[in-house]
Structures are given as C-alpha cells and as structure tokens.
Amino acid sequence: MSVDLFQSPDYYHLDDLLSEEHKLVRDATREWVKREVSPIIEDAAQEAKFPKQLLSGLAEIGAFGPYIPEEYGGAGLDQISYGLIMQEIERGDSGIRSTASVQSSLVMYPIYKYGTEEQREKYLPKLANGELIGCFGLTEPNHGSNPGGMETRFKDMGDHYLLNGAKLWISNSPFADIAVVWAKNEEDRIHGLIVERGMEGFTTPETHHKWSLRASATGELIFDNVKVPKENLLPNKSGLGAPLGCLDSARYGIAWGVIGAAMDCYDTALRYAKERIQFGKPIASFQLQQKKLAEMITEITKAQFLTWRLGVLRNEGRATTAQISMAKRNNVEMAINIAREARQILGGMGITGDYSIMRHMMNLESVITYEGTHDIHLLITGLDITGIPAFK
Ligand code: TGC
Ligand code: FAD
C-alpha cells in the first residue's frame, strides 16, 4: 500500500456511544497503524514474513493485554477499548491482529485467570511489554473442531511432568518464547502447561506456503519427552472449559477485528468507485456499483452495533459464549463478503498488492476457520436456542 487514505465509516454515529477514553485509545491505535503497519504490510505479506519490528509498537499501544490489570503490566482497559484496538489493528492486517489476540487472550488471559500469583508475576509484565511472545497450543493434527479428543499427554514423573504430542496450526509458534499448551494427564483431564523455548525435546517448525495470513507466522509445536517443571502447570482450572474460556475472549476480539478489515475494503472501494471513469462517468454513478456499496455500509453498521452491544454485555459480565459465537460468525461472514464485493469494484486493480482488499480477503479465509469454524459457531447458536447439541 503506497499511501494510507483510510477514513473510518460511522454511518449511525456510533462514536456518540463511546467514551472519551474509547475514542482516545481507538484514535491512537489508528494513527499507529497508519504510521507503522500500512507502509510495510503489503511487502511483508508478499514475502510471507511476520514483521517482528512491530512487536514493540504493539506493546506500546497497549495491544498486549489491553484488559489485563495494570499491576501485571496490562493496560487495564474495558472490553470496548479492547475491541476497538482489535478493530484498528485488523484494519491494517488480520495477521497482526492475530498476534495481539493470541498474546492477550490466549496467553496472558489463561495465565492471569488460571495461573498462580508467581506465574502472573513471572510472565505477565514481560508479555505485556513484548519482552516475551507467547502462543497457544490447542489444535492437533487429528483434532481441530473437536479439541476434546486431543492426544497430547503429560505424565507425573515425581519432580516434573513429561510431555508428549504435537500441535498444528499454531499462530506465532515459530518465534514464540513460551507456549500455553493444553494436554491430558493420566486421568484424561485437560490442563494448561507453560512450555518454554529451549526445553529439551520442544521444537516449533514453521508451516509454509500459506495463501492466507501471510504476514503472520504459523507453525507446529512438537513435544518429544519434554520435561516440564511442575510449577509450570496452570492450577486454577482444568477440563475442556479452560481452553474454551480463553477462546471466548479471543473470539470477541475477532468480532471487532474483522469490522476493521471490512471498513478498509469499503473505504477503498468507495474511493476507487468515485475516481474510476468508465463510459465517461465515475463507476460510482452506476446503480450496480451503488448497490454493492450501499449493502456494504449497511452490513458494517449492523455489525458495529451488534458488537458494541456485546462489549457492553462483556463489561457487565453478562455476555454468553453463544452471543460471542453469533458475533464472530456474523461479522467474519460480513467482512469476507464485503472483501469479495469490494475486490470486484476495483476490477483488475483489485487483484494487485497496490490495494489492501485482496490481502484482507485471503486473510479472512483463515479467520472464518480459526477460533471455531463458521459451521461450529452456527451449531453453538443452534445448541443455545434448541438445547440440543448437534456436534456429534
Ligand atoms: P462441550 O461438552 O460442549 O464442553 C466441554 C466443557 O467446556 C465447557 N464450555 C465452555 N467453558 C467456557 N467457555 C466456553 N466457550 C465453553 N464452551 C464449552 C462446557 O460447559 C463443558 O464444561 P463441563 O464442566 O460440563 O465439562 O464440548 P464438546 O467437546 O462437545 O465441544 C463443543 C465445541 C465443538 C463447541 C468446542 O469444542 C469448540 O468450540 N470447538 C472449536 C475449537 C476451536 O475453536 N478451536 C480454536 C483453537 S485456537 C485458535 O484457533 C487460535 S487462532 C488465533 C489467532 O491467530 O487469532
Ligand atoms: P476440521 O475440524 O477438520 O473441520 C473441517 C471442516 O469440517 C470444517 O468446515 C468444519 O466446520 C467441519 N466440521 C467439523 N466438525 C463438524 C461438525 N460437528 N458438524 C459440522 N461440520 C463440522 N489453533 C490453535 O490451537 N492455536 C492457534 O494459534 C491457531 N492458529 C491458527 C492459525 C491459522 C492460520 C489457522 C488456519 C488455524 C489456526 N488454528 C489454531 C487452528 C484452528 O482453530 C482450526 O483450524 C479450526 O479449529 C478448525 O480445525 P481443522 O482445521 O482441524 O478443521
């Protein structure tokens, strides 16, 4: 992307519902994205390289642990500020938002919620300031949508645990310093363990040749008789509900994040349609193009309000897993549809890296799959309204 001309759409004056702090946090993140992400992100995606130079900036804007209390190095913000930070970062790129989501909701959150005071003090401040980067290992080669079937296991060896197994599709794994890993003990109970880079038998090979999230590093976690110190077990919650509880927080962040990607596609397409002349007129003057643009702003506006309300419910501690699933599912589909329509408005130019749209579109193909697939979220809503699980 050469020059970032982004102007944020706010058709129903959602800003009126935001506090001064929300707007301050949102605007600071937006400025940072314009300054630091937009100029380099296209090259990073084309070269399939995670831009590590962004890590310190992400920490500085409070994107690592926005809602973690300040005493542990977090920003101590509310859920709407957290959402707005995710929206602005994903306006730049879903892969950069992924790094912030994983660090905040899948690494810092479980350590904060399920860890000991010693673990909180040891890891959280360093994760908040970017000194340590984390990843989250739940998915396995044979268990994606069904993590309860996981095969990764640990044994109590008296003075340590012995961990064996493998995780696949792990964001940030190739360079992460620590991994929050979910594994079964000898009683088949799922627990979280903090595994550190450098432990013997622990490797993190990178997954290459992705067409999506190319500016995010994805890889495996392989545990071959890894000796994990006993103090690295997260003691305060076990069972599948422990990792799934972290997913609620990350899915909520994604529901906001993808609005950013959709806004960027809409804004780019609107500007292009007003400038591109065919048959002697701007293409924005043709009804078919207006239909696309009008539907885009309608869907973005609906998603903004759904998600803002979800943020209010989360601030009040009332948001349910099923409500979060609805927002994640609705908003990712909204964003991917807008990216596809926006790409068409740009004609041939839409397939080039001169514009952000195709990159967003490809990224969203991962976002619609990770953190629970589109189908799984529909089934979560189905279970919630009927009381009947249709997963198995
Ligand atoms: P089920 O029997 O329904 O539940 C097992 C236990 O978990 C409890 N539970 C939850 N607890 C807290 N929060 C939630 N969201 C919860 N959902 C369920 C549940 O109450 C039960 O507790 P208990 O005490 O009765 O045992 O489990 P199931 O095996 O039938 O599976 C249900 C299903 C399919 C919905 C679940 O497995 C699921 O969500 N699957 C999708 C997997 C997934 O989302 N993986 C994401 C991996 S991480 C990732 O993708 C990161 S991408 C990061 C990035 O780059 O942004
Ligand atoms: P599967 O579970 O094999 O699903 C394949 C298809 O079957 C899907 O369409 C699915 O909807 C459908 N399906 C499955 N079960 C049902 C059912 N019961 N009813 C109807 N349809 C069903 N995981 C982590 O743990 N940590 C990470 O950091 C992480 N980062 C990721 C980054 C990327 C780029 C990607 C692509 C994935 C990442 N994941 C991560 C993994 C992600 O969460 C899984 O890909 C996802 O949960 C789906 O699992 P799967 O790919 O094995 O698909």
Side-chain angles (χ1 to χ4, degrees):
M1 189 189 296
S2 37
V3 186
D4 183 349
L5 300 169
F6 177 68
Q7 288 193 333
S8 170
D10 184 14
Y11 202 71
Y12 265 39
H13 307 298
L14 179 66
D15 263 23
D16 294 351
L17 298 171
L18 302 179
S19 68
E20 284 311 308
E21 180 173 77
H22 294 150
K23 285 187 266 192
L24 213 65
V25 165
R26 193 254 332 261
D27 294 348
T29 312
R30 184 171 295 166
E31 279 312 306
W32 180 80
V33 168
K34 274 201 175 188
R35 200 175 59 244
E36 304 291 337
V37 179
S38 300
I40 56 108
I41 195 63
E42 184 58 35
D43 285 348
Q46 294 280 357
E47 290 162 21
K49 275 199 185 134
F50 173 72
K52 281 193 186 161
Q53 69 270 29
L54 296 180
L55 290 172
S56 57
L58 282 165
E60 272 164 32
I61 60 166
F64 292 160
Y67 54 85
I68 298 290
E70 285 168 294
E71 60 179 303
Y72 297 112
L77 297 168
D78 77 348
Q79 290 291 313
I80 292 181
S81 287
Y82 162 47
L84 288 164
I85 292 174
M86 296 299 121
Q87 171 187 289
E88 294 305 317
I89 297 176
E90 192 147 3
R91 207 279 296 172
D93 190 79
S94 304
I96 309 305
R97 195 271 306 137
S98 262
T99 293
S101 292
V102 169
Q103 182 89 340
S104 302
S105 292
L106 300 182
V107 178
M108 295 177 75
Y109 178 85
I111 294 173
Y112 174 64
K113 274 283 187 198
Y114 315 143
T116 60
E117 195 50 38
E118 290 72 33
Q119 290 168 338
R120 289 184 192 141
E121 284 169 12
K122 179 175 176 189
Y123 295 106
L124 292 178
K126 288 184 179 170
L127 288 160
N129 70 20
E131 212 176 308
L132 288 180
I133 297 297
C135 66
F136 176 88
L138 180 64
T139 306
E140 299 189 352
N142 296 327
H143 301 280
S145 297
N146 175 29
M150 69 176 67
E151 294 161 45
T152 300
R153 290 196 166 268
F154 65 98
K155 266 190 186 169
D156 189 335
M157 306 300 282
D159 62 343
H160 65 270
Y161 298 118
L162 200 63
L163 179 66
N164 277 289
K167 302 285 176 180
L168 186 65
W169 294 120
I170 307 304
S171 300
N172 300 347
S173 91
F175 64 89
D177 303 290
I178 64 168
V180 170
V181 175
W182 301 94
K184 284 181 180 163
N185 67 9
E186 288 146 287
E187 285 80 47
D188 267 353
R189 188 81 184 156
I190 295 172
H191 286 267
L193 298 157
I194 303 169
V195 179
E196 300 186 12
R197 185 172 295 284
M199 287 181 176
E200 210 179 319
F202 175 42
T203 48
T204 60
E206 183 158 3
T207 302
H208 295 290
H209 302 142
K210 292 178 299 171
W211 284 115
S212 173
L213 288 189
R214 288 172 62 80
S216 162
T218 314
E220 299 171 51
L221 300 174
I222 296 174
F223 315 105
D224 180 9
N225 286 320
V226 180
K227 284 184 183 175
V228 181
K230 285 204 152 169
E231 65 263 24
N232 284 25
L233 182 102
L234 299 175
N236 296 332
K237 188 157 168 118
S238 63
L240 186 57
L244 293 182
C246 311
L247 296 184
D248 274 0
S249 179
R251 290 167 176 173
Y252 166 76
I254 290 173
W256 278 96
V258 294
I259 296 175
M263 283 176 168
D264 197 48
C265 292
Y266 164 77
D267 178 62
T268 305
L270 178 63
R271 189 173 308 105
Y272 188 89
K274 290 200 273 192
E275 288 169 0
R276 173 72 175 164
I277 309 292
Q278 287 296 286
F279 299 94
K281 292 177 180 175
I283 58 169
S285 61
F286 300 125
Q287 287 184 0
L288 286 176
Q289 305 314 316
Q290 289 195 2
K291 176 174 188 290
K292 288 188 176 80
L293 292 163
E295 286 177 352
M296 284 182 202
I297 190 62
T298 306
E299 291 308 314
I300 288 172
T301 304
K302 283 153 66 179
Q304 284 173 323
F305 280 86
L306 178 75
T307 316
W308 172 80
R309 176 65 188 152
L310 186 62
V312 171
L313 291 175
R314 271 184 72 83
N315 278 341
E316 293 169 357
R318 290 200 291 144
T320 65
T321 291
Q323 286 169 336
I324 295 166
S325 279
M326 180 183 283
K328 192 265 184 187
R329 183 174 187 276
N330 179 79
N331 292 7
V332 181
E333 185 173 45
M334 173 280 295
I336 210 166
N337 287 341
I338 285 178
R340 287 171 182 154
E341 293 288 289
R343 212 288 303 148
Q344 290 198 51
I345 291 179
L346 268 71
M349 288 311 290
I351 72 152
T352 72
D354 292 353
Y355 296 89
S356 55
I357 294 175
M358 190 82 178
R359 177 166 46 78
H360 283 307
M361 190 169 120
M362 301 297 270
N363 284 343
L364 289 164
E365 289 293 341
S366 286
V367 183
I368 204 164
T369 286
Y370 69 31
E371 296 279 4
T373 68
H374 203 57
D375 297 329
I376 290 296
H377 288 297
L378 178 132
L379 295 178
I380 291 173
T381 305
L383 165 61
D384 196 47
I385 58 178
T386 65
I388 306 167
F391 304 105
K392 304 171 193 174

